[in-house]
Amino acid sequence: AVTDEPAAEFKKGADLIAASDCLGCHKIDEKLVGPSYKEVAAKYTAKDEAMLVTKIMEGGKGNWGEVPMTPHPMVTKEDATEMVKYILSLK
């Protein structure tokens, strides 16, 4: 059966995203203000993990156009890493 429930190893990242403001700009499978998580997963691999973690924490623009992603300095590196691992699991 197909389910929206993430694999156990990615559940923490999914829960962190659900509890944050991420979903105000991103959806799993459709573009909103920013790219969908599936678009991010298709564009990047595990080797991009550190860059994506930094992007969550520091914000930025240019990877997907000129709409800036706001910084999230309150997100720890550990939590951002869990978020990225979940997003990249959506391939």
Side-chain angles (χ1 to χ4, degrees):
V2 176
T3 177
D4 289 334
E5 189 67 26
E9 66 188 294
F10 303 117
K11 185 160 180 14
K12 181 176 182 185
D15 289 347
L16 288 165
I17 286 171
S20 72
D21 67 351
C22 303
L23 298 175
C25 292
H26 299 280
K27 289 187 181 282
I28 289 177
D29 53 11
E30 62 183 271
K31 182 174 176 21
L32 196 56
V33 175
S36 73
Y37 292 137
K38 288 186 177 181
E39 288 176 296
V40 174
K43 183 173 180 175
Y44 298 107
T45 65
K47 69 178 176 46
D48 301 304
E49 187 177 294
M51 178 275 294
L52 293 169
V53 166
T54 299
K55 187 74 77 172
I56 289 171
M57 295 169 62
E58 297 179 5
K61 68 176 185 176
N63 295 46
W64 296 92
E66 291 306 301
V67 176
M69 179 164 153
T70 56
H72 298 83
M74 66 294 207
V75 175
T76 66
K77 186 173 186 177
E78 293 76 21
D79 284 354
T81 299
E82 292 295 326
M83 292 171 164
V84 168
K85 287 179 179 181
Y86 164 69
I87 292 166
L88 293 178
S89 79
L90 298 171
K91 290 192 184 310

